[in-house]
Amino acid sequence: MDTQFPQIISVDDHTVEPPNVWQDRLPKKYADTGPRIVRAPLKEMSFLGGRFKPVMGRPGDDGPIGDWWIYEDLHRPLTRLDTAVGYSRDEIKLEVITYEQMRQGSYDVPARLADMDVNHVQSALCFPTFPRFCGQTFTEAKDHELGLLCIRAYNDWMVEEWCGPDARGRLIPLIIIPLWDAELAAAEVRRNAARGVRAVAFSEIPPHLGLPSVHTDDWDPFLAACDETGTVVAMHIGSSSRMPSTSADAPPAVGSTITFANCCFSMVDWLMSGKFERFPNLKVMYAEGQIGWIPYILERADVVWEENRGWGGVAEKVHRPPSELFAEHVYGCFFDDAFGLRNLDSIGVGNVLYETDYPHSDSTWPKSREVGEAQMGHLDADTVERIVRRNAIELLGLTDDGLWAP
């Protein structure tokens, strides 16, 4: 491999929304009901069986103080897991924090760019925090009229401020949609595609959110909009509000080991749905799902399609081997997967993207370059270039220099 490691385009980083995102953008009548930050103590918090359960105390109660998002009945604290970079592994615990206790690059554009420079990162696509990974916070809300305004406000902030002039094209916009209405979702995709956005967050397993599966026709207006505009459907682990686990009392380490599982199930859904043949320009990507599991799943899917499609319910809608559909439509994203890179030929060089997961606890910051060099040392320079930046440039419609240009 060439000793000059390419500048990274990370397809999975995260933004922690500043306190004013919705307060500045919603109509004034929603000042007391839209998302807002309050400072309050923590009463108790657990994360077992893939479920996160914080309980906010009242002013004056004992307990660690943190900043909490308040929205309808939701009380959601900022936690150390939201922004863990800069802390040693042993210091990263499930605890509430304030904005002052997090790394400034989590929510501030100039500070983020500086942290990207430290990490050899040129450009980054960022998933939400308070809205959750596909905006399901607003889908679960009671007032969908306000929820739609919140989604539009977030997308305006994402495009105009987070990815605005101060970002100098180095931050790549990712929008959210009203998941409860595919027509409204399609309209939001088109509204943002008109200003250069080429990525939309979606749930890897919508039925976990009480929504239709991709095997139905319910999502077709949304998928048609993505197909027509070249908007990539980006699915992050946990975007179904359920992390994989094995039991209600399984410690977080169990779920953390098998985080790829929902991506695996989701990819089989898409490959067997017929959607890639109905929408030939549709592209999907799996953020933080890693890639080492992909070869066997493609092998098994092809066997099932070849031998069992007659009774398997896919003969009329899936007319090509799933592995062929994968090659044309699906992208796996990884930040630390030496096994997957050793089996790259079975995945496809053109179907792999690199990420740094800043500022989460799994992040390779500030050593994403060193991790990449160690794991890609057996690959030729052209292959490394494609994985680290060129595939992302082509998928997300960036400039040849790797920047977002509205």
Side-chain angles (χ1 to χ4, degrees):
M1 186 183 73
D2 193 313
T3 55
Q4 181 59 44
F5 194 77
Q7 272 203 301
I8 298 165
I9 298 178
S10 174
V11 296
D12 171 30
D13 285 1
H14 299 265
T15 178
V16 176
E17 299 80 19
N20 64 327
V21 169
W22 290 277
Q23 292 292 297
D24 286 357
R25 291 168 179 79
L26 291 176
K28 295 303 180 186
K29 67 178 182 177
Y30 293 116
D32 296 328
T33 54
R36 57 206 183 277
I37 285 285
V38 302
R39 187 158 290 184
L42 171 72
K43 187 174 181 180
E44 59 182 271
M45 180 161 58
S46 64
F47 185 35
L48 288 174
R51 297 287 185 176
F52 174 50
K53 295 180 180 179
V55 179
M56 188 174 78
R58 297 180 178 181
D61 286 351
D62 291 334
I65 301 297
D67 284 333
W68 296 69
W69 283 105
I70 307 297
Y71 174 55
E72 292 192 342
D73 297 331
L74 177 64
H75 296 167
R76 198 283 193 192
L78 300 178
T79 75
R80 178 56 61 209
L81 298 188
D82 292 326
T83 172
V85 293
Y87 288 78
S88 72
R89 295 296 180 185
D90 290 338
E91 292 177 307
I92 300 171
K93 297 178 173 62
L94 186 59
E95 60 184 356
V96 296
I97 60 170
T98 65
Y99 278 93
E100 289 81 5
Q101 292 171 304
M102 71 173 68
R103 194 169 184 86
Q104 192 174 350
S106 302
Y107 60 89
D108 177 78
V109 171
R112 171 60 64 93
L113 298 186
D115 277 355
M116 289 163 62
D117 289 340
V118 169
N119 202 30
H120 199 64
V121 173
Q122 179 189 28
S123 308
L125 181 82
C126 297
F127 283 83
T129 297
F130 170 71
R132 308 220 295 285
F133 293 147
C134 66
Q136 60 265 51
T137 292
F138 302 118
T139 293
E140 295 169 359
K142 298 171 185 174
D143 186 344
H144 277 170
E145 180 180 355
L146 173 56
L148 182 59
L149 292 175
C150 287
I151 286 169
R152 289 173 175 166
Y154 176 86
N155 291 338
D156 289 345
W157 169 81
M158 167 63 61
V159 174
E160 298 166 7
E161 190 167 334
W162 183 252
C163 301
D166 288 348
R168 306 196 302 275
R170 297 181 61 188
L171 295 173
I172 306 162
L174 172 70
I175 62 163
I176 56 177
I177 52 171
L179 293 163
W180 63 88
D181 188 314
E183 294 285 356
L184 288 176
E188 191 63 10
V189 166
R190 291 190 172 97
R191 180 176 84 92
N192 287 282
R195 49 183 177 176
V197 177
R198 290 294 178 268
V200 57
F202 191 65
S203 174
E204 81 269 73
I205 307 180
H208 285 347
L209 302 177
L211 299 169
S213 78
V214 297
H215 300 289
T216 70
D217 294 335
D218 296 67
W219 295 108
D220 284 6
F222 163 66
L223 298 179
C226 294
D227 180 79
E228 293 164 12
T229 60
T231 299
V232 180
V233 177
M235 294 172 283
H236 195 285
I237 59 167
S239 56
S240 58
S241 295
R242 187 183 304 178
M243 293 297 289
S245 193
T246 54
S247 63
D249 59 351
V254 172
S256 186
T257 302
I258 57 173
T259 51
F260 71 92
N262 282 350
C263 298
C264 173
F265 301 156
S266 173
M267 190 179 80
V268 176
D269 257 350
W270 281 92
L271 293 175
M272 299 298 188
S273 71
K275 298 303 182 186
F276 292 140
E277 294 185 68
R278 292 189 58 193
F279 302 102
N281 297 315
L282 188 64
K283 310 283 188 184
V284 305
M285 56 168 270
Y286 288 100
E288 207 171 327
Q290 313 303 332
I291 59 175
W293 53 272
I294 291 175
Y296 171 71
I297 293 300
L298 293 180
E299 178 183 284
R300 177 61 183 165
D302 279 357
V303 169
V304 169
W305 177 82
E306 184 67 41
E307 298 183 357
N308 301 329
R309 63 180 179 268
W311 62 266
V314 297
E316 300 302 317
K317 57 183 180 180
V318 181
H319 304 103
R320 298 166 56 199
S323 60
E324 291 186 10
L325 298 173
F326 171 89
E328 296 176 8
H329 298 275
V330 183
Y331 294 78
C333 311
F334 77 99
F335 56 78
D336 187 359
D337 192 340
F339 179 83
L341 289 168
R342 290 197 301 270
N343 293 274
L344 196 59
D345 289 346
S346 299
I347 302 169
V349 174
N351 299 86
V352 174
L353 305 167
Y354 198 43
E355 58 184 61
T356 77
D357 197 32
Y358 179 106
H360 284 184
S361 60
D362 266 338
S363 179
T364 52
W365 186 92
K367 297 186 178 299
S368 299
R369 173 180 182 169
E370 289 85 345
V371 171
E373 288 176 330
Q375 297 192 351
M376 300 184 210
H378 64 292
L379 302 174
D380 63 79
D382 181 67
T383 298
V384 174
E385 170 81 14
R386 292 183 67 182
I387 292 171
V388 173
R389 56 185 292 110
R390 179 56 56 182
N391 289 341
I393 288 172
E394 295 174 359
L395 179 64
L396 298 171
L398 306 180
T399 68
D400 288 342
D401 293 330
L403 301 174
W404 177 64

